[in-house]
Amino acid sequence: MPETGLRFVDRDDLSPICPHCEKYLDEIYVKRRGIAGSDASVHYCPFCLKVLSILPG
Ligand SMILES: [Zn+2]
């Protein structure tokens, strides 16, 4: 295994795939309101509505 570490590579020519429904995503829905006592935001798939990530506020 190389010991060069992990790199971030800009790839705007590719689209991410939802890990749940496996559709290509050209947008991701964001819910910012209604999360009690928090400024967190929920990112979810526009097709299957399953949660992709939760970012703390
Ligand atoms: Zn999905």
Side-chain angles (χ1 to χ4, degrees), residues 4 7-11 13 17-19 22-23 26-27 30 32-34 36 39-43 47 49 52 56-57:
T4 56
R7 297 175 295 131
F8 285 100
V9 179
D10 287 330
R11 289 300 303 265
D13 57 319
I17 297 173
C18 174
E22 300 191 344
K23 290 187 175 173
D26 59 1
E27 60 184 12
V30 181
R32 300 182 197 280
R33 295 182 183 153
D39 291 329
S41 59
V42 176
H43 298 186
F47 298 104
L49 305 182
L52 300 171

Side-chain angles (χ1 to χ4, degrees), residues 18-23 25 44-50 52:
C18 174
H20 305 290
C21 68
E22 300 191 344
K23 290 187 175 173
L25 300 176
Y44 59 105
C45 174
F47 298 104
C48 68
L49 305 182
K50 289 183 179 174
L52 300 171

